[in-house]
Structure formats: C-alpha cells, structure tokens
Amino acid sequence: KEFTTSIKNVMAERRFNEFQFKDHIASFEEGTGRIEDLLLPAYRAVLQAGELENTPEQQAALAAFVAFQFVRTKAHRDRWKRVEDGLRSRIGSIGGRLEDIDGFGDSTENAHKKHHLLGIKKYVSEFAPIIALKSFMLIRAPKGHFFYLGDNPVALHNSRDFGPNGNIGLAVSGIEIYLPLSSELVLCALCPTLVGDMRTEFEDSRRARQEEIVANLVNGKLIVADSIRIRDQIATLEHD
C-alpha cells in the first residue's frame, strides 16, 4: 500500500515518552517539554546571532542542550539494550542466565522505555559537565549546501585509534561532538587537545610561511608588495 503523509508522521514514533506502569500509562511528554523550554533560549540566541558568545553561562547551557538531545533518542535507549544483550550472551556462554541475577528486572520493551525515561535527568546531569569542558565552535555550511538532521541528532567522531578499548565516548581524548542547529549551522564541541593541536599546526605553518617570505625577499625572488599582500592574507586567516 502506498500513501502520502507529512514528514512529521514519518520521522516520529508515537508514545515514545510513555511506558506502562501497572494499569496506568506514565507519560513524560510534559516533562521533556519543560526541559526543552529551559534550554531553548540558549539555542535560539545562537541561531539569531550566528556566532557564539563563548561565556561560561552560554557554554553550560549549550552543553546541557547537547546532553539532552544525546540521551533523549531511541539510539541511546537501544544502547543499553545492546549492553544487556551482550551481558546475556556472555553469562549464557558460561552456563548462567542474566535473569537469575538478583536485581535484574524484566527484559521487555516497556522496561527499557521505563529505565530510559526515568534516567534522562541523571544522564543529562552526568554528561553536561563533561561536554561543557570541550572547546565550542560553529560550522557554517558553504553557500548552496545544507546540513541534514537524522533521528539521532548528536554525532560523535574520533580520528584517534585506541585499539580494542574503542574511541567513542564523551570523555575520550580526541572526541568530536556535532549537533546541527539548523540547515546552515552546526554546533561543535571538540576535545581541547584537538584545538590545541590545530593551533600548533597553524602556528607552525604561519612561521614556515613567514620564513619563506623573508628568504625570498633576501634572494630577490619576491618584491615588497607581494610580501605585504601575503602578510595581509596570513593576518586574515588569524582573524578567522
């Protein structure tokens, strides 16, 4: 069967913020709405200004916003289910059952939803301070190009290889965190060591270029007007 519908109906899951509690339905829709209302001013201020203030207050608010978007998704809910499946497989390989462990609850979709929704406040409280320690910046899409938002808005990347221990984690060295704010702006929260490396590379490149200019002037391969033009280009890069 084929039909046409709104993208809002396709890119959403009904009753995502609800779970069954005995004979009642517990809904977190109002609670998540209140959290959004608290965090929206920081988000809107960045969109309106098109740049970051880089104040501790703004960074703390944006860190909480990123943390909330990170933990509210189905991907985060499913992450804990994968951990549970891994434990069940491991314990089963030695002849045991995860269900026999004291304190282990029901392994149902409703149980996973309940665990996830009840833990959102805890996760945001734990993750926001970690994210706040990153170096924040904005990336603007080139003219004619746009960013697309998926069902898991927060993307993590790490170019550093830590072998079997993995390299994806909010507190892992070299982590890069990206959250599209609009079709044109992406908020980046980068590990401070990455920013330090980029600054070092830029300074080394600038120093090498300046030395090359001086050598060319001394050897008569460059006129003064050319050196001034190149100097101004370097200064523009520093400002950007």
Side-chain angles (χ1 to χ4, degrees), residues 67-130:
F68 179 59
Q69 297 300 327
F70 180 62
V71 304
R72 69 180 301 184
T73 62
K74 186 173 179 61
H76 190 265
R77 179 180 295 176
D78 290 345
R79 182 177 293 112
W80 297 111
K81 186 178 184 300
R82 290 195 296 271
V83 170
E84 178 187 297
D85 291 342
L87 286 173
R88 178 176 286 102
S89 177
R90 177 59 179 167
I91 294 173
S93 68
I94 58 177
R97 290 192 340 128
L98 186 61
E99 288 77 9
D100 295 334
I101 298 177
D102 290 340
F104 179 77
D106 296 333
S107 180
T108 63
E109 178 66 21
N110 188 69
H112 294 147
K113 292 177 70 173
K114 177 182 177 181
H115 174 78
H116 173 241
L117 291 170
L118 292 177
I120 284 180
K121 180 180 179 180
K122 172 179 176 291
Y123 299 141
V124 172
S125 298
E126 290 179 357
F127 295 161
I130 298 174

Side-chain angles (χ1 to χ4, degrees), residues 182-211:
S182 71
S183 61
E184 298 180 348
L185 283 179
V186 166
L187 177 66
C188 313
L190 307 181
C191 175
T193 61
L194 285 175
V195 178
D197 291 345
M198 287 189 287
R199 286 173 178 163
T200 299
E201 290 176 5
F202 176 80
E203 288 298 326
D204 291 343
S205 177
R206 184 185 67 166
R207 190 177 300 109
R209 186 62 175 144
Q210 289 175 332
E211 291 173 355

Side-chain angles (χ1 to χ4, degrees), residues 8-218:
K8 294 181 179 180
N9 296 330
V10 177
M11 301 295 290
E13 179 178 332
R14 294 186 62 192
R15 297 185 174 179
F16 182 76
N17 292 317
E18 297 178 359
F19 65 87
Q20 184 91 25
F21 181 71
K22 296 182 179 180
D23 296 329
H24 304 280
I25 298 294
S27 176
F28 278 67
E29 285 291 344
E30 184 178 348
T32 55
R34 286 200 298 267
I35 295 175
E36 288 177 336
D37 290 342
L38 288 173
L39 300 177
L40 276 177
Y43 161 76
R44 288 172 174 160
V46 174
L47 284 186
Q48 183 175 2
E51 60 184 13
L52 297 176
E53 298 173 1
N54 289 319
T55 62
E57 294 78 11
Q58 185 189 56
Q59 192 144 325
L62 291 175
F65 179 72
V66 174
F68 179 59
Q69 297 300 327
F70 180 62
V71 304
R72 69 180 301 184
T73 62
K74 186 173 179 61
H76 190 265
R77 179 180 295 176
D78 290 345
R79 182 177 293 112
W80 297 111
K81 186 178 184 300
R82 290 195 296 271
V83 170
E84 178 187 297
D85 291 342
L87 286 173
R88 178 176 286 102
S89 177
R90 177 59 179 167
I91 294 173
S93 68
I94 58 177
R97 290 192 340 128
L98 186 61
E99 288 77 9
D100 295 334
I101 298 177
D102 290 340
F104 179 77
D106 296 333
S107 180
T108 63
E109 178 66 21
N110 188 69
H112 294 147
K113 292 177 70 173
K114 177 182 177 181
H115 174 78
H116 173 241
L117 291 170
L118 292 177
I120 284 180
K121 180 180 179 180
K122 172 179 176 291
Y123 299 141
V124 172
S125 298
E126 290 179 357
F127 295 161
I130 298 174
I131 297 172
L133 295 177
K134 310 302 181 188
S135 295
F136 282 63
M137 60 185 66
L138 291 176
I139 294 179
R140 185 177 295 275
K143 187 176 181 179
H145 294 75
F146 306 95
F147 296 112
Y148 292 89
L149 185 67
D151 57 354
N152 189 20
V154 180
L156 305 182
H157 175 75
N158 197 332
S159 298
R160 297 176 181 173
D161 186 0
F162 297 105
N165 293 325
N167 62 354
I168 298 298
L170 297 178
V172 176
S173 176
I175 196 66
E176 305 168 33
I177 306 170
Y178 300 96
L179 172 63
L181 301 179
S182 71
S183 61
E184 298 180 348
L185 283 179
V186 166
L187 177 66
C188 313
L190 307 181
C191 175
T193 61
L194 285 175
V195 178
D197 291 345
M198 287 189 287
R199 286 173 178 163
T200 299
E201 290 176 5
F202 176 80
E203 288 298 326
D204 291 343
S205 177
R206 184 185 67 166
R207 190 177 300 109
R209 186 62 175 144
Q210 289 175 332
E211 291 173 355
E212 180 185 356
I213 293 172
V214 172
N216 287 335
L217 278 172
V218 171

